[in-house]
């Protein structure tokens, strides 16, 4: 099976958010799709290991923030590469409360939903949500997974449906002298030397979190 075929399916990049007993929490998702227009209904897919999954089941409501191409890349590090069990992801993230749910301010806009059904797979829960509110913040280009993967050179979190373990690239005469890999999100910096003050553009990890290969 050529798993790269799955990358030809169109995906976006979103923050799915909800409440954890009064504390805002959320995670990155790329599987969000509209099911019907009337009543407006969407489906999202959230890994069983994501703490957000448990919180959505407890609350029965969630929001989807649609990230833009020029949204701060650190949002993906904050919401995609750490767990809400251990981190207060919204503590330093600009957000708003819309329809009683936390949404990302630095985004194209949001949808707020009430869970009306769910289905379990071996690794993910598919939540069916009836849309209760939706608004655009600005007319910005939405961030697609293809743009994130090919232009920003970002990696999928291991809990994402699109995650595929990558093999180490073969070394050729054109291979850069050094490749420095972020041990948090997998971003690769290519060059002779990694600057001491360098921070990962995806997850904001410091230079100390990079491994030279």
């Amino acid at each position: 099976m050529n798993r790269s075929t799955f990358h030809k399916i169109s995906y976006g990049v979103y923050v799915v958010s909800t409440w954890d007993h009064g504390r805002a929490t959320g995670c990155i998702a790329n599987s969000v799709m509209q099911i019907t227009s009337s009543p407006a209904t969407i489906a999202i897919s959230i890994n069983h290991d994501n703490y957000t999954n448990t919180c959505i089941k407890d609350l029965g409501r969630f929001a989807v923030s649609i990230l833009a191409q020029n949204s701060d890349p650190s949002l993906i590090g904050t919401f995609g590469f750490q767990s809400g069990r251990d981190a207060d992801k919204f503590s330093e993230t600009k957000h708003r409360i819309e329809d009683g749910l936390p949404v990302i301010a630095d985004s194209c806009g949001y949808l707020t939903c009430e869970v009306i059904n769910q289905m379990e797979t071996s690794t993910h829960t598919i939540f069916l949500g009836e849309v209760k509110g939706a608004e655009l913040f600005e007319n910005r280009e939405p961030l697609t997974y293809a743009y994130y993967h090919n232009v920003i050179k970002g990696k999928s979190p291991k809990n994402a449906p699109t995650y595929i373990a990558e093999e180490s690239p073969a070394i050729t005469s054109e291979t850069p002298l050094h490749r420095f890999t972020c041990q948090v999100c997998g971003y690769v910096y290519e060059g002779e030397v990694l600057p001491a003050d360098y921070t990962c553009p995806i997850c904001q990890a410091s230079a100390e979190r990079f491994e030279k290969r």
Side-chain angles (χ1 to χ4, degrees), residues 147-192:
Y147 186 93
Y148 170 68
H149 184 74
N150 297 323
V151 179
I152 300 178
K153 304 299 184 184
K155 308 297 182 182
S156 292
K158 289 186 177 181
N159 288 343
T162 51
Y163 175 76
I164 298 174
E166 297 182 357
E167 297 180 357
S168 298
I171 296 177
T172 70
S173 59
E174 298 180 354
T175 301
L177 183 60
H178 296 302
R179 293 167 61 91
F180 300 85
T181 303
C182 177
Q183 298 305 292
V184 177
C185 71
Y187 179 81
V188 176
Y189 174 92
E190 297 179 344
E192 294 187 2

Side-chain angles (χ1 to χ4, degrees), residues 108-121:
C108 297
Y110 68 87
L111 304 163
T112 56
C113 303
E114 179 180 334
V115 177
I116 57 175
N117 210 334
Q118 66 187 58
M119 181 179 73
E120 301 295 337
T121 72

Side-chain angles (χ1 to χ4, degrees), residues 15 17 65-68 70-72 75 79 90 93-98 101-110 135-138 140:
V15 172
S17 54
S65 297
I66 304 165
L67 296 188
N70 60 350
S71 290
D72 188 338
L75 288 168
F79 289 90
F90 278 89
T93 299
K94 292 182 179 179
H95 62 283
R96 301 163 54 163
I97 306 301
E98 301 289 348
L101 289 165
V103 299
I104 304 297
D106 184 12
S107 67
C108 297
Y110 68 87
E135 193 58 69
L136 291 174
F137 291 147
E138 296 180 57
R140 302 163 70 180

Side-chain angles (χ1 to χ4, degrees), residues 4 10-11 20 25 39 52 54 59 63 69 87 93 101 116 121 142 152 174 176 181-182 188 196 198 206-208:
S4 296
S10 179
Y11 298 93
D20 172 23
T25 192
T52 303
T54 299
L59 186 68
Q69 285 185 5
T93 299
L101 289 165
I116 57 175
T121 72
I152 300 178
E174 298 180 354
T181 303
C182 177
V188 176
Y198 185 79
S206 63
E208 289 78 11

